[in-house]
Amino acid sequence: MTAGVDGVFLLSSYDEYDNPVTEGYKAFKFALYGPSNCKGLAFDNFDGTYTLTVPAVPTVGQHWLEVTRGGAHILGSPYAVQVYPGSINLYTSTISLDSLKQLNVGDSASFLIKTKDQFNNPLTTGGEVFTASTASPAQRTFTVVDADNGEYVGAFMTTIAGSYRLRVSLNGELLQGQEFPIQVLSGAVSVSMSRVYGSGVSDSVAGVEQEVYLLPRDSYGNVLSNSLTPQLVISSSQLATLSKTMQPLSDGSYKTTLMLTQSSSYRLQILLTGATSLSLFDRQIDLLPSVASPQDSVLTAETSSCSVDQPCSFVLRVKDAYGNNVTEGGTIFSSKLLGLDRAILGTTVAGEVSLLPASGLFQVSFSATRSGERELQTVMRVCSKFLKF
């Protein structure tokens, strides 16, 4: 018998000499015992045969069929009757996704389909052809193997992280009438695939705020789905090491800002700390001085006094607002020699000449024709600030 299907048996009657009886009018009863139980009367065909229609039972397994007349068993009763599972039912059949719950890209995992009939009885034979696929974030088709025992094993692997919905179907009908969600996480961070960018990872200028970004990726190019705590480490021979924690952004990247004021060569590193330390970035950058600052520049005399009709020289050390020596040309200066009455006694333009051999130094020189105390004004034309000495 098959679960869910009536069992039909034909009883033929004989006399005591083993001759077939050709007429009816005898009352036969039957009873089925086992995991499921039922009773009934045989239908008289009025030709010496009787039809036993055993009502459908839901439970598989061995049963016993008793056939009696007048309380006595007929020959061979009770009979062993095996009830087998019915046809596959996609709503009672199950799928196990346990191995896909902690899945990373590149991992091979499997899912198990157990087929059942409408009464939840496990099927013990194969023969079905299941298909499995995903549409987004990547379109994939997966192999499903028939184990020939009512079970089917599917293989799942992808290199693209994201939220998937697995479709398992038979003849176009979805298993359990639904798609199954699967979350695939990114892999471990890859140094070669990760990206570091921003204004702060190349040579810059003192006093300007710079941005540094990190976009961590795994070896397949997926942006990491797990949270990190990257540290930007800044070091130089002149300053103590500075460490800043990069903050996460909504697109999976990390950001921090830095503003350095002392011109020097710096080493920038981005480190991941934890069970295993990892350096994602290591580069040397040069921090250049900012623009010349008149109020921070220094004018010094090459001699303690000057003589009439003799050249008198001063050296101008150009500095920026942070005290860094400006070592490149381009700044234009002019100088005036004034008497105490503010009269202009002599003028010479020094900023347009080449720098002195000591980089960042300008030479201011003039010749006076009258003795007395003087005031030298040196003007940086680009910002019209005065340095008085």
Side-chain angles (χ1 to χ4, degrees), residues 332-336 347-353 363-365 381:
I332 299 175
F333 290 89
S334 65
S335 60
K336 297 177 182 179
T347 301
T348 182
V349 177
E352 298 179 12
V353 300
Q363 187 175 40
V364 180
S365 62
R381 294 178 184 173

Side-chain angles (χ1 to χ4, degrees), residues 42-342:
F43 178 79
D44 191 349
N45 297 318
F46 300 106
D47 60 358
T49 64
Y50 301 81
T51 300
L52 282 65
T53 302
V54 180
V57 295
T59 310
V60 299
Q62 182 170 294
H63 293 67
W64 295 95
L65 178 63
E66 292 183 351
V67 182
T68 60
R69 176 173 174 264
H73 287 268
I74 68 171
L75 181 66
S77 175
Y79 303 96
V81 176
Q82 185 71 28
V83 178
Y84 296 96
S87 58
I88 185 173
N89 185 286
L90 291 180
Y91 289 89
T92 58
S93 296
T94 62
I95 182 170
S96 174
L97 302 171
D98 291 344
S99 63
L100 278 68
K101 290 182 178 179
Q102 298 292 332
L103 191 62
N104 293 91
V105 290
D107 291 345
S108 295
S110 61
F111 54 90
L112 179 64
I113 302 169
K114 293 185 177 182
T115 55
K116 298 181 180 182
D117 65 13
Q118 63 175 323
F119 301 107
N120 212 35
N121 297 306
L123 272 61
T124 56
T125 58
E128 307 294 351
V129 180
F130 283 94
T131 61
S133 62
T134 58
S136 177
Q139 187 171 353
R140 294 283 189 271
T141 300
F142 307 100
T143 302
V144 181
V145 177
D146 186 353
D148 293 324
N149 60 358
E151 297 182 353
Y152 300 78
V153 180
F156 186 97
M157 196 281 283
T158 182
T159 59
I160 299 177
S163 298
Y164 288 83
R165 300 194 70 82
L166 179 64
R167 296 173 54 90
V168 180
S169 57
L170 177 65
N171 299 324
E173 185 178 355
L174 285 176
L175 179 65
Q176 297 185 356
Q178 63 176 319
E179 298 176 349
F180 304 98
I182 298 174
Q183 185 69 34
V184 180
L185 303 178
S186 58
V189 63
S190 167
V191 175
S192 61
M193 295 297 289
S194 297
R195 181 186 173 205
V196 177
Y197 58 99
S199 58
V201 298
S202 56
D203 294 348
S204 56
V205 177
V208 178
E209 185 175 77
Q210 308 289 346
E211 296 177 337
V212 178
Y213 294 89
L214 166 66
L215 185 61
R217 294 190 178 107
D218 63 19
S219 59
Y220 299 102
N222 298 291
V223 177
L224 261 65
S225 50
N226 55 317
S227 59
L228 303 174
T229 310
Q231 301 288 323
L232 176 65
V233 180
I234 309 157
S235 58
S236 75
S237 59
Q238 302 179 18
L239 296 175
T241 299
L242 172 67
S243 180
K244 298 189 68 176
T245 300
M246 303 184 74
Q247 300 302 314
L249 302 178
S250 59
D251 63 352
S253 63
Y254 295 79
K255 173 188 176 182
T256 190
T257 59
L258 70 155
M259 186 176 74
L260 303 173
T261 58
Q262 183 171 340
S263 63
S264 179
S265 292
Y266 291 87
R267 182 185 183 187
L268 295 187
Q269 295 175 282
I270 296 180
L271 305 177
L272 293 180
T273 58
T276 303
S277 296
L278 181 65
S279 175
L280 295 178
F281 181 79
D282 194 335
R283 179 182 296 175
Q284 179 175 301
I285 66 167
D286 291 326
L287 187 71
L288 305 177
S290 183
V291 297
S293 172
Q295 59 266 36
D296 295 289
S297 298
V298 179
L299 185 68
T300 58
E302 291 187 334
T303 59
S304 60
S305 63
C306 298
S307 300
V308 174
D309 293 330
Q310 296 295 321
C312 190
S313 298
F314 291 80
V315 175
L316 176 64
R317 165 63 75 179
V318 183
K319 293 180 177 290
D320 64 13
Y322 305 100
N324 300 302
N325 293 330
V326 178
T327 57
E328 295 185 1
T331 305
I332 299 175
F333 290 89
S334 65
S335 60
K336 297 177 182 179
L337 183 64
L338 305 179
L340 294 181
D341 57 358
R342 314 297 291 177

Side-chain angles (χ1 to χ4, degrees), residues 1-7 32 36 38 53-59 119:
M1 288 180 62
T2 300
V5 179
D6 291 346
L32 185 71
S36 298
C38 63
T53 302
V54 180
V57 295
T59 310
F119 301 107

